[in-house]
Amino acid sequence: MTERKILTSRFGELKISKEKVLSFPQGIVGFPKCHQFTVIEYQAPFSWLQSLDDPDLAFVVVDGQKLAFQYPYQASLSEVIDLQKKDPYLILTLIVIRESLRDATVNLKAPIYINLRNNQGFQLILDEEKLATKANLWDSLTK
């Protein structure tokens, strides 16, 4: 197992095994030059999506399966990250923490799909009116 050391502004020095490196061929919206990330487990249901290209860039994320809205498999991802219907995958949604934690929002419109077979990720922008970019996090989580 090969490990990579990175120095981050939030977590200090981290040792990341090769198996934990996620590749985003097209980056993340707004950060096209950041192509490698890792997920740092935090306090359920929250995690951090830490950039390995920019030590200052980390997103608070929540598992999309914990949300009231259920994201379906997206066939279009087969072309981008080789995601096939039989593949295991993870869906992450970005969280924005406001002044008060109870005002935190989740971006339901732009989930991040990660193909767990090949560790490739892609942020998909969904064209569904019912999905908000700033939905109340607590209303969106399943009980």
Side-chain angles (χ1 to χ4, degrees), residues 86-139:
K86 66 181 179 350
D87 289 334
Y89 63 94
L90 176 64
I91 299 172
L92 300 176
T93 54
L94 300 176
I95 305 298
V96 176
I97 306 296
R98 307 284 176 193
E99 250 183 69
S100 168
L101 191 55
R102 73 171 175 252
D103 296 327
T105 59
V106 58
N107 184 343
L108 298 176
K109 201 169 208 47
I112 295 171
Y113 281 75
I114 299 172
N115 182 340
L116 296 174
R117 176 179 47 82
N118 63 14
N119 283 354
Q120 298 249 331
F122 182 76
Q123 186 174 24
L124 185 65
I125 309 300
L126 298 173
D127 188 25
E128 293 190 36
E129 288 183 31
K130 66 182 176 181
L131 297 178
T133 56
K134 295 179 183 175
N136 180 280
L137 172 63
W138 310 110
D139 292 344

Side-chain angles (χ1 to χ4, degrees), residues 3-143:
E3 286 190 335
R4 173 177 171 183
K5 288 183 184 179
I6 63 163
L7 184 61
T8 68
S9 59
R10 283 179 183 80
F11 309 106
E13 185 176 274
L14 297 175
K15 292 179 184 177
I16 308 297
S17 69
K18 183 180 175 183
E19 295 80 24
K20 299 282 186 178
V21 174
L22 305 173
S23 176
F24 286 74
Q26 298 181 11
I28 289 184
V29 175
F31 303 93
K33 293 182 180 178
C34 294
H35 297 277
Q36 292 190 324
F37 290 83
T38 193
V39 174
I40 299 170
E41 298 300 323
Y42 185 57
Q43 185 175 2
F46 305 104
S47 297
W48 288 89
L49 184 63
Q50 172 68 53
S51 170
L52 302 182
D53 300 310
D54 180 347
D56 296 325
L57 182 62
F59 302 99
V60 178
V61 293
V62 68
D63 181 345
Q65 304 298 344
K66 305 271 189 227
L67 301 175
F69 178 80
Q70 292 299 301
Y71 291 100
Y73 165 78
Q74 299 287 331
S76 63
L77 293 174
S78 65
E79 298 171 23
V80 185
I81 58 173
D82 192 28
L83 182 63
Q84 306 301 314
K85 195 163 190 153
K86 66 181 179 350
D87 289 334
Y89 63 94
L90 176 64
I91 299 172
L92 300 176
T93 54
L94 300 176
I95 305 298
V96 176
I97 306 296
R98 307 284 176 193
E99 250 183 69
S100 168
L101 191 55
R102 73 171 175 252
D103 296 327
T105 59
V106 58
N107 184 343
L108 298 176
K109 201 169 208 47
I112 295 171
Y113 281 75
I114 299 172
N115 182 340
L116 296 174
R117 176 179 47 82
N118 63 14
N119 283 354
Q120 298 249 331
F122 182 76
Q123 186 174 24
L124 185 65
I125 309 300
L126 298 173
D127 188 25
E128 293 190 36
E129 288 183 31
K130 66 182 176 181
L131 297 178
T133 56
K134 295 179 183 175
N136 180 280
L137 172 63
W138 310 110
D139 292 344
S140 300
L141 288 171
T142 55
K143 307 297 180 224

